[in-house]
Amino acid sequence: LEVLKCISQLEKLQLIGSGARDSVFLQQESKTPTKKSRSGITGFGAYMNDKTSVEDINAKSITEALKNGEIDRIFSRSSSLSDEAAPIFVQYLCQVSHDEVFVADPPRTFSLQKLIEVAYLNMDRIRIVWSRIWASMSKHFVTVGCHPRVPIKEYAIDSLKQLAMKFLEKQELANYQFQRDFLKPFEQIFSKSKNCIAARDLILRCLTQMVLCKACNIRSGWKSIVSCFACAAADPQPDIVALAFEGTECVLHGQFHLVTDIFLDVVNCLISFACNGL
């Protein structure tokens, strides 16, 4: 855990050293209180300037000492970790990402990006190991997907979509429910985003895209998809209901033969649309 925290700080300093401070930390600097006098900046403002200068010097030293790709190599080699170590590595990476997103000001997404890369690289592990890895990841994605800032919400949802599209390229074995577990975060984020139309809108578009592009490979995942459409069917926003109905139509008109195992869920979804008073 401490190693991953250090890597997070090293990446931050490397970013500053490469001249990206203005774009990355502009919001933080704009909030920094300063006091001006006739002789210039004094007090707290002078202290912050000195602190920034020291940070810039440290960042430049780090940038010169670290070779390109050295930090990335730590994550790209995660596929070489043992089946016991990989889930622990992901668990700690989720903790560091949580601090970056919810504690840092402004929020950072470095570890969240690396989490996506690690997921891609470890997706082919045996099912029982992958389920342990995904247990930590999915919980974290749901938490980030409920972030108060819309751009971070959307980043988490879009990242989930990318991972889901990759995961759905693989055929699901009979009597397994991995797809359902993988798509469950969409449903959870949707139900917790009642005050964010943008997040609900994006989730429905992501699910509809999966139906259109990966329907032939979806098995147990249909249950999560239809459940999310059913939840959206009762939404008070007409645009959300319309999007959900479009997604449901894609299922009924083109893929109905694939959802016969959850026929009752599909019927209940249609009933939810019918009961909406809009």
Side-chain angles (χ1 to χ4, degrees):
L1 177 61
E2 299 304 323
V3 171
L4 289 174
K5 286 182 178 179
C6 288
I7 292 171
S8 174
Q9 293 304 311
L10 282 174
E11 190 276 339
K12 175 184 174 182
L13 290 173
Q14 193 176 40
L15 204 60
I16 296 172
S18 64
R21 170 186 287 278
D22 289 340
S23 60
V24 177
F25 302 109
L26 180 62
Q27 182 177 356
Q28 183 186 43
E29 291 182 346
S30 66
K31 291 181 179 179
T32 300
T34 58
K35 295 180 181 179
K36 292 185 178 181
S37 66
R38 295 177 182 177
S39 59
I41 300 176
T42 60
F44 183 73
Y47 164 76
M48 291 303 296
N49 273 358
D50 291 341
K51 184 179 179 181
T52 300
S53 298
V54 172
E55 193 173 51
D56 286 338
I57 294 171
N58 291 337
K60 186 176 180 180
S61 300
I62 291 294
T63 303
E64 292 173 351
L66 282 177
K67 297 179 181 178
N68 289 335
E70 285 191 343
I71 291 179
D72 292 336
R73 197 174 298 121
I74 294 172
F75 302 97
S76 63
R77 292 183 177 178
S78 63
S79 57
S80 301
L81 292 172
S82 68
D83 289 343
E84 292 75 22
I88 297 173
F89 178 81
V90 170
Q91 179 185 348
Y92 288 153
L93 186 57
C94 288
Q95 291 183 31
V96 175
S97 175
H98 183 278
D99 289 344
E100 287 181 355
V101 173
F102 287 94
V103 179
D105 185 21
R108 300 171 58 225
T109 58
F110 167 73
S111 293
L112 187 60
Q113 293 171 349
K114 295 305 175 186
L115 198 60
I116 298 166
E117 294 177 20
V118 169
Y120 274 115
L121 293 168
N122 290 272
M123 202 172 282
D124 291 329
R125 288 184 182 268
I126 59 174
R127 301 291 180 174
I128 189 169
V129 176
W130 171 251
S131 63
R132 290 173 59 199
I133 290 173
W134 184 244
S136 299
M137 283 190 177
S138 60
K139 183 178 179 181
H140 180 60
F141 274 114
V142 171
T143 302
V144 178
C146 297
H147 195 279
R149 298 191 183 186
V150 174
I152 295 178
K153 276 178 177 283
E154 292 179 337
Y155 184 86
I157 295 168
D158 186 65
S159 299
L160 263 177
K161 183 203 75 173
Q162 295 176 40
L163 289 175
M165 295 291 277
K166 179 69 175 178
F167 188 76
L168 291 175
E169 292 178 1
K170 302 167 61 176
Q171 290 284 349
E172 185 176 53
L173 301 176
N175 300 320
Y176 280 85
Q177 303 287 321
F178 287 117
Q179 287 184 358
R180 182 181 177 184
D181 293 339
F182 202 101
L183 298 179
K184 191 72 174 177
F186 288 104
E187 187 180 349
Q188 294 173 325
I189 295 173
F190 189 94
S191 63
K192 294 180 179 181
S193 299
K194 295 180 180 179
N195 297 324
C196 184
I197 297 176
R200 302 202 304 279
D201 180 286
L202 181 57
I203 288 172
L204 294 174
R205 293 183 187 278
C206 290
L207 294 177
T208 300
Q209 185 178 359
M210 288 178 212
V211 171
L212 293 173
C213 299
K214 302 293 183 182
C216 293
N217 285 351
I218 301 176
R219 296 291 182 269
S220 65
W222 284 116
K223 194 170 186 69
S224 292
I225 292 173
V226 172
S227 294
C228 196
F229 287 154
C231 184
D235 200 274
Q237 295 294 329
D239 291 343
I240 297 298
V241 176
L243 270 176
F245 192 73
E246 288 177 14
T248 305
E249 280 188 315
C250 290
V251 175
L252 296 179
H253 291 171
Q255 319 298 340
F256 184 71
H257 62 289
L258 298 175
V259 296
T260 53
D261 291 342
I262 58 165
F263 180 76
L264 185 59
D265 296 85
V266 175
V267 171
N268 288 333
C269 178
L270 295 174
I271 290 174
S272 296
F273 282 110
C275 293
N276 193 315
L278 294 175

